[in-house]
Amino acid sequence: MTTHFKMIFTTCKDEAEARSLARALVEKKLAACVNILPNMGSIYMWEGEVAEATEAKLLIKTKADKMNDVFLTIKELHSYEVPEIQVVEVSTGNLAYFNWMDEVLN
């Protein structure tokens, strides 16, 4: 079963920013649900140096036709100069959950 749903990942500087972004996405009906994984350790390269930070990861559940608006909202509200935005195709899953997502995102 192929679906028209996407999972979008982003990270935020802290849980407060993550909650604010998640709430905005749900209120604008751009996401049916956003999970927040707080206090995640990250090690990454930034401006030629290895950096380390505690961040919050967002798992944004949306539909393909909302994806560009999700991107724009993340870029508008995010504090990072270069926010992570990665998209994962949702190929299959619980049909009842997908029906709920369709209902919520209409």
Side-chain angles (χ1 to χ4, degrees):
M1 165 174 89
T2 303
T3 75
H4 57 279
F5 299 102
K6 307 288 184 190
M7 176 87 70
I8 300 175
F9 297 106
T10 193
T11 49
C12 292
K13 68 178 180 175
D14 56 30
E15 189 174 351
E17 181 178 68
R19 287 187 176 282
S20 177
L21 179 54
R23 182 169 291 280
L25 291 167
V26 172
E27 285 175 350
K28 292 180 176 187
K29 294 193 172 201
L30 298 177
C33 175
V34 180
N35 298 116
I36 300 169
L37 306 174
N39 300 318
M40 175 187 74
S42 297
I43 300 173
Y44 53 94
M45 194 63 105
W46 184 249
E47 297 181 341
E49 307 240 350
V50 175
E52 192 166 336
T54 300
E55 300 178 294
K57 174 74 86 179
L58 276 68
L59 287 68
I60 303 161
K61 294 137 187 184
T62 192
K63 293 166 69 169
D65 64 355
K66 307 260 184 192
M67 210 168 46
N68 288 334
D69 288 331
V70 171
F71 290 2
L72 291 172
T73 301
I74 291 171
K75 290 175 182 177
E76 174 189 335
L77 300 178
H78 211 288
S79 64
Y80 289 175
E81 184 180 331
V82 182
E84 170 196 13
I85 302 174
Q86 296 185 38
V87 179
V88 175
E89 301 287 331
V90 177
S91 61
T92 190
N94 181 353
L95 183 58
Y97 188 82
F98 295 148
N99 288 339
W100 168 78
M101 286 181 64
D102 269 331
E103 184 179 311
V104 168
L105 294 174
N106 281 332

